[in-house]
Amino acid sequence: MIVPDLDEGIERLSAMLDAASFILPFTGAGISTECGIPDFRSPGGMWTKNKPIDYGVFLADPAMRVEAWRRRLVMDKVFAAARPGSGHAAIAHWHESGKAPHIITQNIDNLHQLSGVAPECVLELHGNTTYARCVDCRTHYALDWVWTHFHPDHGRAPECAACSGPVKTATVSFGEPMPQAIMRQAAELARACDLFIVMGSSLKVWPAAGLPVLAKEAGAKLIIINREPTEQDEIADLVLHHAIHEVVANVPRPLSVTAHG
Ligand code: NAD
Ligand code: ZN
């Protein structure tokens, strides 16, 4: 049900948050636009500028590895300067209240962790761009290490010090297998929660976009907070087409009712 009026939407959202015992937030790029990180699909988003580099292309073509790292370097100031926004803060509050033990995110920006949620409680479906790893032996590398081993003009992407394999941001590229254990855990949580809240996702990226459907089918209520319509609006119990900060700024704290336990 789409509720166009902001105040009415906030009232319904607050009531659903209070009534829930197990909230599962599911976030996308839209929760981080207020933090200065562009999303993919809004006008002017990253998608309109650079078509993503497929995993297979990254592995096969050294020039595309250089290109991938050049793009990451261009974005480095943005990612490094970004701080959690009001949406992250609201979710951190639900987490602290005990009602939202885990957060599922499609984001790669590390902002839920920076908002104070323990890393093991953040399920990153698409990895994390704030560090790198070798695609062969999985050795982790700090980005500082990458920047000392990479210069776009030298035409060589960083290689693993241990095995010479290609080093890539610790993200899941298009064409790269999803992290199976995390997907399994996310699906279990989606089946178990009683309130699934999508915040800032176009729900166009699969299989991640299957999780709200799974939650709904298992009996949870579904809320979508997204500036634009999504393909799952019609199955949702509450849809707010507003900016996340406008919505969460007016949701009362603390949440009432006993936590999931
Ligand atoms: P998306 O770009 O497909 O969709 C983002 C949605 O958020 C859009 O529908 C847009 O209308 C909405 N939105 C933007 N700002 C908003 C705001 N302030 N309030 C409410 N809604 C807002 O993003 P997605 O569905 O997350 O999928 C894109 C993929 O790209 C993700 O899987 C992710 O891995 C990656 N990505 C991540 C980041 C990040 O980590 N911050 C940024 C860009 C892309
Ligand atoms: Zn290696």
Side-chain angles (χ1 to χ4, degrees), residues 133-139 141 159-167:
R133 71 185 163 211
C134 169
V135 300
D136 290 337
C137 74
R138 315 306 276 176
T139 299
Y141 291 95
E159 287 176 359
C160 177
C163 78
S164 305
V167 172

Side-chain angles (χ1 to χ4, degrees), residues 188-209:
E188 274 166 27
L189 291 166
R191 277 191 219 99
C193 71
D194 61 10
L195 180 59
F196 191 105
I197 307 187
V198 176
M199 293 171 74
S201 176
S202 62
L203 297 177
K204 283 189 177 141
V205 180
W206 289 78

Side-chain angles (χ1 to χ4, degrees), residues 11-237:
E11 212 169 288
R12 284 172 185 260
L13 169 68
S14 305
M16 288 171 80
L17 287 166
D18 278 347
S21 58
F22 182 177
I23 301 169
L24 185 54
F26 172 95
T27 64
I31 199 170
S32 298
T33 53
E34 68 166 300
C35 313
I37 304 174
D39 61 10
F40 267 167
R41 291 179 178 78
S42 288
M46 293 189 205
W47 201 267
T48 56
K49 296 188 183 117
N50 285 315
K51 203 173 156 290
I53 297 168
D54 258 52
Y55 189 53
V57 173
F58 181 93
L59 293 183
D61 186 348
M64 290 313 279
R65 293 205 279 281
V66 171
E67 172 61 12
W69 277 111
R70 187 194 63 75
R71 290 182 191 178
R72 181 60 186 80
L73 182 58
V74 167
M75 287 299 291
D76 199 46
K77 281 204 174 73
V78 170
F79 279 115
R83 291 294 166 266
S86 56
H88 300 97
I91 291 173
H93 169 70
W94 304 338
H95 177 68
E96 276 161 29
S97 80
K99 281 195 178 194
H102 292 89
I103 290 115
I104 302 178
T105 188
Q106 302 176 87
N107 292 344
I108 54 175
D109 54 25
N110 209 43
L111 291 182
H112 288 296
Q113 292 90 327
L114 284 184
S115 76
V117 180
E120 61 273 20
C121 300
V122 182
L123 276 67
E124 294 175 317
L125 302 182
H126 298 153
N128 189 311
T129 194
T130 65
Y131 65 99
R133 71 185 163 211
C134 169
V135 300
D136 290 337
C137 74
R138 315 306 276 176
T139 299
H140 284 200
Y141 291 95
L143 290 181
D144 282 350
W145 178 90
V146 172
W147 303 141
T148 59
H149 289 77
F150 171 69
H151 193 286
D153 299 341
H154 298 165
R156 266 179 86 86
E159 287 176 359
C160 177
C163 78
S164 305
V167 172
K168 182 174 142 331
T169 53
T171 50
V172 179
S173 301
F174 283 93
E176 185 172 355
M178 296 287 286
Q180 288 310 318
I182 294 174
M183 271 309 281
R184 252 197 316 274
Q185 192 187 355
E188 274 166 27
L189 291 166
R191 277 191 219 99
C193 71
D194 61 10
L195 180 59
F196 191 105
I197 307 187
V198 176
M199 293 171 74
S201 176
S202 62
L203 297 177
K204 283 189 177 141
V205 180
W206 289 78
L211 291 166
V213 180
L214 198 61
K216 187 69 192 153
E217 283 172 357
K221 296 256 189 268
L222 175 60
I223 298 177
I224 298 176
I225 307 171
N226 201 60
R227 247 176 359 202
E228 291 166 336
T230 79
E231 279 160 30
Q232 295 183 26
D233 285 1
E234 59 197 44
I235 64 161
D237 299 276

